[in-house]
Amino acid sequence: HEDIRHMSTAVRLNSKMRDISGKAALVIINLPCVPESTRGRANYMSFLEVLTEGLNRLLLVRGTGGEVITVYN
């Protein structure tokens, strides 16, 4: 049941990204975290495929989850 919910979320997000940014030269989104469960990890690539379908140029960015501030003098 949770797998269906995750795929449904991916379909809705993909639809929204295509509506808003479908003609953009580049779309940049955060790379979703890899699930901790074995079943979730098995479906992760399918989730990403559904999430990114139809977006021609896409950059998935994965951060550390913490903000970094750099100050130059």
Side-chain angles (χ1 to χ4, degrees):
H1 190 271
E2 189 166 326
D3 293 339
I4 294 170
R5 186 175 59 86
H6 284 138
M7 285 302 174
S8 176
T9 299
V11 168
R12 289 193 318 267
L13 284 172
N14 175 270
S15 176
K16 188 59 99 173
M17 286 189 294
R18 287 189 302 158
D19 287 347
I20 295 171
S21 304
K23 295 180 181 177
L26 176 66
V27 177
I28 302 171
I29 64 170
N30 286 330
L31 180 64
C33 294
V34 177
E36 292 183 15
S37 70
T38 303
R39 185 177 181 138
R41 285 192 303 268
N43 294 324
Y44 184 68
M45 293 306 291
S46 296
F47 175 83
L48 290 179
E49 186 175 340
V50 171
L51 181 66
T52 61
E53 182 179 351
L55 296 167
N56 295 328
R57 291 184 180 227
L58 183 73
L59 177 63
L60 298 166
V61 179
R62 177 75 175 125
T64 62
E67 294 185 33
V68 177
I69 299 174
T70 304
V71 178
Y72 296 98
N73 289 329

